[in-house]
Amino acid sequence: MNETKKTPAKILITSGPTRQYLDPVRYLTNASSGRMGASLADAALRRGHEVVIVSGPVAVDYPSGAEVIPVVTTDDMLRVANEVFPSCDGAIGAAAPCDYKPLHVSDQKLSKTGRPLQLDLVETPDVIAVLGESKRDDQWVVGFALETDDRRFRATVKLQKKHCDLMVSNGPEAIDASDNHVELLDPAGSVIETISGDKPHVADRLIHHIHNRLILR
């Protein structure tokens, strides 16, 4: 009997960027494309799992077999993820939510004045950290850590701080790219596998480890 058929999981995947508006037309964001989230969803679906994607604004096409819930801001992503996660077996945080938002949002378009514009920014909630802290004993959370320096060390710190079961470490070259180079870390910070290639290949290897280490446990 096919082992995957015996153990289908419902997986929440966060994907894409979020937007934090300064005024009705301008916003803070990043160049996350959603390709990694789409590839992870496809790989999970091919293994027979159920997938719910909570996605910020992207142009990428998600697999037709996945349920997609669109959001805009980091607060939106957290709210929806919190609603969906209790019915899921696990979550993969492939999104790149904005870490900061304006303290004040103008209800009118900001006009040029010829002077510097000062923005007061405050931190947004950490979606995966909230899910990791709230997970039940029968749930798991996999995070992504994008760092420019001391990648493995910082990823390990994030893994522990966010109560993740595995952490994927990568760099800024992954943003809006077709390929990726990642390290998959276990809770002790040891490298399970270093994976390079196009994002579908990377996603397939990641789902392989998630399936064997977390879903089948």
Side-chain angles (χ1 to χ4, degrees):
M1 184 179 291
N2 187 307
E3 194 173 45
T4 303
K5 294 295 184 182
K6 291 168 57 180
T7 56
K10 183 176 181 181
I11 303 172
L12 165 65
I13 299 176
T14 65
S15 182
T18 60
R19 296 175 179 176
Q20 300 299 153
Y21 277 84
L22 309 176
D23 65 19
V25 296
R26 301 185 182 92
Y27 52 82
L28 303 173
T29 191
N30 59 66
S32 175
S33 65
R35 289 191 187 103
M36 195 72 242
S39 296
L40 287 164
D42 182 66
L45 289 167
R46 283 189 283 104
R47 283 187 172 266
H49 301 304
E50 182 182 351
V51 175
V52 181
I53 304 172
V54 179
S55 176
V58 295
V60 72
D61 292 324
Y62 289 116
S64 59
E67 178 186 358
V68 181
I69 305 175
V71 297
V72 177
T73 69
T74 302
D75 287 312
D76 292 339
M77 182 170 283
L78 176 60
R79 174 180 54 79
V80 174
N82 266 331
E83 292 172 357
V84 173
F85 188 52
S87 67
C88 294
D89 296 286
I92 306 173
C98 282
D99 292 327
Y100 294 92
K101 63 182 178 181
L103 181 60
H104 302 290
V105 179
S106 174
D107 58 3
Q108 296 181 331
K109 180 183 175 184
L110 297 170
S111 300
K112 288 185 175 181
T113 63
R115 300 188 302 273
L117 175 66
Q118 171 122 11
L119 292 178
D120 293 318
L121 303 178
V122 294
E123 290 186 359
T124 57
D126 190 307
V127 176
I128 291 303
V130 172
L131 297 184
E133 191 170 11
S134 69
K135 68 180 179 179
R136 303 185 304 266
D137 290 341
D138 63 341
Q139 289 179 304
W140 48 266
V141 171
V142 176
F144 272 68
L146 190 152
E147 300 290 347
T148 56
D149 303 295
D150 299 323
R151 294 184 188 180
R152 189 179 302 170
F153 171 76
R154 295 187 182 209
T156 302
V157 170
K158 284 185 174 181
L159 186 155
Q160 297 167 351
K161 185 176 180 180
K162 299 184 183 188
H163 306 281
C164 291
D165 298 273
L166 298 172
M167 182 64 73
V168 182
S169 172
N170 61 1
E173 62 275 5
I175 294 287
D176 197 23
S178 299
D179 296 343
N180 205 351
H181 173 80
V182 309
E183 289 184 338
L184 179 62
L185 307 178
D186 69 13
S190 299
V191 178
I192 297 170
E193 184 179 354
T194 300
I195 313 167
S196 296
D198 62 26
K199 288 183 175 177
H201 168 71
V202 173
D204 191 65
R205 294 302 302 161
L206 293 175
I207 293 296
H208 166 79
H209 288 292
I210 291 169
H211 178 84
N212 290 331
R213 288 173 172 265
L214 301 178
I215 295 172
L216 294 181
R217 67 183 179 182

